[in-house]
Amino acid sequence: AFEKRLAKDKNLASRFNLHFADGMTYEHLDFNLDNEILKDVNVRKAMTYAIDRDRLVKALFEGRQKKALHNIHPRDVYMTEDVVKYEYDVKKAEALLEVAGWKKGSDGIRVKAGKRLATVIMPTAHNKSRELVQTFLQAEWKKVGIEVTIRNEPARVFFGETMKKRAFPGVAMYAWMSSPD
């Protein structure tokens, strides 16, 4: 696990010259487009703009991970930076939510037609890095008025049932691996 590697590096750095290289695995988010809230591209874009990925990488991974730009790993031979970039921008996120009709309620969570702007994030359980990231995402999204509930599942259930049947209600978080072409 990444966090164990960081701890080991700190313990061994005084005795060894250590080299760190990115692996080909990366985490990503899948949005369930059958979800009425997440069908709206403005909501999905707002959620993306609301994530300070630079701060996430620095705070949780000591700056050793590269932030994702899209679905191709930064070390992959097919990686390109010629894509729309969703840099951290809370004002843009909030403006997109306003355009989508979501107004901030008295508790800071947005509401539209009496319904709260709420969703669920589901990663696999017992993965410390993912748990840290999902908590980070939950806090980032709350800043712009999105309520997020965390619901972890064991990997065998998550991949064997939930993902197989597209039964995740909101956002799924799991890893992809780029092939080492």
Side-chain angles (χ1 to χ4, degrees):
F2 192 84
E3 66 279 356
K4 288 181 182 177
R5 169 64 197 262
L6 290 176
K8 250 185 197 173
D9 282 6
K10 287 176 185 168
N11 291 333
L12 298 174
S14 63
R15 298 188 340 229
F16 300 98
N17 290 325
L18 302 171
H19 175 71
F20 179 88
D22 291 335
M24 296 302 284
T25 304
Y26 61 98
E27 295 286 333
H28 77 288
L29 303 174
D30 281 354
F31 292 96
N32 184 337
L33 301 185
D34 294 330
N35 176 305
E36 285 301 315
I37 292 170
L38 299 176
K39 269 185 190 177
D40 188 331
V41 68
N42 287 320
V43 171
R44 295 191 312 273
K45 284 182 178 181
M47 290 176 81
T48 306
Y49 280 118
I51 302 168
D52 186 346
R53 292 174 292 150
D54 289 321
R55 189 166 61 87
L56 183 151
V57 166
K58 186 175 181 183
L60 302 183
F61 304 108
E62 297 183 5
R64 292 188 183 193
Q65 301 284 52
K66 291 182 176 70
K67 72 178 181 181
L69 294 178
H70 50 71
N71 66 325
I72 299 174
H73 190 283
R75 289 189 61 206
D76 195 300
V77 67
Y78 301 108
M79 165 58 177
T80 180
E81 291 196 25
D82 186 21
V83 295
V84 175
K85 294 183 176 74
Y86 294 91
E87 297 297 338
Y88 180 60
D89 190 332
V90 169
K91 289 191 186 313
K92 194 176 275 190
E94 290 180 330
L96 285 164
L97 293 171
E98 289 288 328
V99 166
W102 294 98
K103 308 294 180 204
K104 274 209 176 171
S106 59
D107 64 354
I109 301 302
R110 293 177 180 273
V111 179
K112 177 177 169 181
K115 185 174 181 171
R116 291 169 69 80
L117 180 50
T119 192
V120 175
I121 185 168
M122 292 184 71
T124 56
H126 311 298
N127 181 314
K128 178 99 169 142
S129 295
R130 276 193 194 122
E131 290 170 0
L132 291 170
V133 171
Q134 72 187 0
T135 302
F136 182 94
L137 294 175
Q138 182 184 47
E140 293 288 272
W141 289 331
K142 187 174 184 178
K143 288 178 196 173
V144 297
I146 303 170
E147 181 178 56
V148 177
T149 302
I150 295 170
R151 191 170 93 207
N152 298 350
E153 291 184 334
R156 64 179 165 67
V157 176
F158 183 76
F159 292 113
E161 294 293 321
T162 304
M163 293 307 291
K164 189 176 182 181
K165 296 177 180 174
R166 290 192 44 76
F168 63 100
V171 181
M173 182 175 131
Y174 56 99
W176 282 99
M177 182 172 244
S178 281
S179 61
D181 290 348

